Amino acid sequence: MGAQGERRREYLEAIGIDVWVPRSGPAASVAPAATQTAPAAPAEEPAAAAEAAARWEALRQEVLHCTRCPLHLTRTQGVLGVGPKRTDWLVIGEAPGAEEDRRGEPFVGQAGQLLDAMLRAIGLDRTRNVYIANVLKSRPPGNRDPKPEEVAACLPYLVRQIALLQPKIILAVGRIAAQNLLGTEAPLGRLRGQVHYFGELNTPLVVTYHPAYLLRTPGDKRKAWEDLKFARNLYQQLAHGAVTDGHRT
Ligand code: SF4
């Protein structure tokens, strides 16, 4: 096992998944290093970069001070997201929790650490290759499920983020994120293992479990690993312009 394979083994152990070697097929390949999986976005022209930076700042300020729905009454702050401003990978969760609300950053704490390990297992570095956001930018009290009218009020922010980021692939983590992004009440199990598309840009979207759920239900980590490999393989196909039927083979 080479250095990359050894590193992947450590990541899988970190997220509690036994290492095994598939017999054949694309999933058998070792996860490439982050730089190979998600090359850095090409440098933008200075004028375009300045305009994008201004649009990001306007968005950040709007979310920070947003009063579009009643959640602004109980939150500490609006949480826009975190990560590089142009990236191929976008992870979308449900909403900030208590710690995220306090710190102003999505996916911190134990669930955030597990998400980081999951991403590393497919060669992605949270700070370099992935932008992380939520469907809702403000914390629902007591971490209750978002209400449809709250999602409707908040979703335009995410749409603007996606327009700025122009990701090649979205990883929706958890039932709430998946159902709200896809406009369905189908259970998570039925949404996994296939390629969906989101928004006007028809961005390919793959569904997996929320790391907070996986902390409570570690028996499903193996399924999450299948989802991650599926997403990684899809990304590699997208990078080579060779997406097929969109179903796991
Ligand atoms: S959840 Fe979204 S729409 Fe509601 S107050 Fe927060 S930022 Fe505004």
Side-chain angles (χ1 to χ4, degrees):
M1 183 181 289
Q4 284 182 3
E6 180 63 26
R7 199 163 61 232
R8 185 181 68 125
R9 187 185 62 74
E10 289 171 6
Y11 295 150
L12 293 177
E13 284 181 355
I15 65 175
I17 297 173
D18 294 336
V19 181
W20 83 103
V21 181
R23 287 182 188 151
S24 62
S29 61
V30 171
T35 48
Q36 291 170 305
T37 304
E44 287 181 277
E45 294 293 328
E51 188 187 327
R55 290 172 67 194
W56 271 111
E57 180 56 21
L59 188 54
R60 195 180 71 83
Q61 289 294 335
E62 277 183 58
V63 166
L64 208 54
H65 304 292
C66 178
T67 57
R68 278 190 204 167
C69 86
L71 292 180
H72 80 274
L73 296 169
T74 48
R75 70 168 184 220
T76 302
Q77 57 190 315
V79 181
L80 179 62
V82 67
K85 299 296 186 283
R86 281 297 283 272
T87 181
D88 286 352
W89 285 81
L90 170 61
V91 171
I92 304 178
E94 176 181 335
E99 186 69 5
E100 287 84 2
D101 175 69
R102 194 176 62 78
R103 287 172 50 179
E105 182 175 332
F107 285 95
V108 294
Q110 264 194 307
Q113 286 169 17
L114 179 54
L115 177 67
D116 293 354
M118 291 164 68
L119 295 172
R120 282 199 302 270
I122 52 169
L124 297 171
D125 181 289
R126 174 183 175 128
T127 58
R128 293 183 60 233
N129 312 115
V130 187
Y131 192 92
I132 301 174
N134 283 309
V135 171
L136 275 193
K137 308 306 186 194
S138 302
R139 180 192 180 213
N143 291 351
R144 65 159 168 74
D145 287 355
K147 296 177 181 174
E149 58 270 27
E150 294 163 351
V151 173
C154 209
L155 211 50
Y157 290 131
L158 184 63
V159 169
R160 283 167 62 188
Q161 276 179 299
I162 292 171
L164 284 166
L165 285 163
Q166 297 189 19
K168 281 195 169 60
I169 184 168
I170 294 172
L171 185 65
V173 296
R175 176 182 65 84
I176 298 291
Q179 289 181 338
N180 280 294
L181 291 171
L182 299 174
T184 178
E185 294 185 355
L188 188 78
R190 285 222 339 251
L191 301 174
R192 296 175 51 243
Q194 55 185 301
V195 184
H196 308 272
Y197 294 90
F198 178 77
E200 288 187 358
L201 298 175
N202 272 333
T203 309
L205 183 152
V206 171
V207 170
T208 191
Y209 295 98
H210 195 287
Y213 166 83
L214 292 173
L215 288 171
R216 296 191 303 271
T217 320
D220 277 344
K221 283 183 179 175
R222 185 172 289 274
K223 291 189 202 166
W225 172 231
E226 291 296 327
D227 298 335
L228 292 169
K229 286 190 299 181
F230 180 65
R232 180 191 65 192
N233 291 339
L234 172 65
Y235 174 77
Q236 288 170 342
Q237 289 176 35
L238 289 165
H240 292 96
V243 171
T244 51
D245 65 354
H247 282 71
R248 180 180 289 149
T249 54

